[in-house]
Amino acid sequence: MAITPLDIANMALAVLDEAPVDSLDQDVKAARLINLHFDLTREAELTKYAWVFAILRATVAGADTGSGDCTLNFAYELPADCLRPLPPTRNGEPDGVPVSWRQEADLIYSDQSGPLVIRYVANLTDPNDWDALFTEVLVAALAIKVAHPLTHKSGMIDIARSAYERALDAALNASAIQRGGRSYTASWASQRGDNRVAPGDSRILRS
């Protein structure tokens, strides 16, 4: 069954025991608040974790920056729909040998010559492309965002947070989020920057 942003908005309102809206363009407080937070919250929740359904890959040629051997001298442009890259490996597989890298803006710098296979979390905007468990997380995250300005009841914030924790636990337990081994396990903030690995180093990439 097709799902729409309006459906997600009304599910978030249902968490807060609020009446549904007829349209996200409706001139009522609930619709305005959901509209305000919808896209940013979706991107934030996609970016926080390596959602399996949102992981795509691209093969990028790259360019030598001329900074010399034994440096991160090859630059690779990230795909336009990339929210964040996953740690690259020599063969492009999640269990492959890690490579040294860092991200600056929309570029990855590595000591590996191209082409480089980049696995990344994509900015998927169509709800029908999402895992149902991600949808549940997003519903609860939206409920958290609008709970106080909409209801002015602190108890509703707690209800929304509990719904979020349950939804996230369900996603983790169902392996809808990639984790473990050399997969992404920590916050994106701790993965950004110069991630150097010595040649032949088989250490697990963790924060």
Side-chain angles (χ1 to χ4, degrees), residues 8-161:
I8 293 167
N10 283 328
M11 284 188 280
L13 292 173
V15 172
L16 304 174
D17 199 25
E18 291 288 318
V21 295
D22 297 326
S23 166
L24 289 179
D25 296 324
Q26 189 175 347
D27 189 18
V28 295
K29 188 174 184 180
R32 290 194 299 268
L33 284 170
I34 293 289
N35 245 336
L36 177 65
H37 292 287
F38 194 98
D39 287 337
L40 185 60
T41 304
R42 172 185 54 77
E43 289 190 21
E45 293 304 322
L46 279 171
T47 305
K48 282 180 184 178
Y49 304 99
W51 291 93
V52 172
F53 78 90
I55 296 175
L56 302 181
R57 65 178 64 205
T59 302
V60 186
D64 192 341
T65 63
S67 58
D69 293 339
C70 300
T71 65
L72 305 183
N73 57 308
F74 293 96
Y76 300 90
E77 186 171 356
L78 292 170
D81 61 344
C82 175
L83 287 174
R84 64 173 175 82
L86 299 177
T89 60
R90 290 182 183 176
N91 64 359
E93 297 300 323
D95 59 350
V97 177
V99 301
S100 299
W101 69 289
R102 73 172 184 269
Q103 182 185 358
E104 293 180 5
D106 59 352
L107 294 175
I108 278 182
Y109 291 89
S110 174
D111 59 357
Q112 300 294 307
S113 60
L116 181 69
V117 177
I118 296 175
R119 298 172 67 252
Y120 64 97
V121 177
N123 186 16
L124 301 182
T125 60
D126 185 346
N128 296 290
D129 292 334
W130 304 342
D131 189 303
L133 294 170
F134 171 78
T135 300
E136 292 289 335
V137 168
L138 178 58
V139 164
L142 282 169
I144 293 171
K145 288 288 182 69
V146 305
H148 182 263
L150 183 60
T151 71
H152 301 289
K153 299 175 182 176
S154 59
M156 285 300 175
I157 299 175
D158 294 335
I159 288 172
R161 285 175 177 161

Side-chain angles (χ1 to χ4, degrees), residues 175-200:
S175 298
I177 295 172
Q178 180 178 288
R179 61 178 180 174
R182 296 192 181 105
S183 303
Y184 181 84
T185 58
S187 68
W188 174 224
S190 69
Q191 285 286 350
R192 290 195 65 166
D194 191 350
N195 296 265
R196 293 181 178 272
V197 180

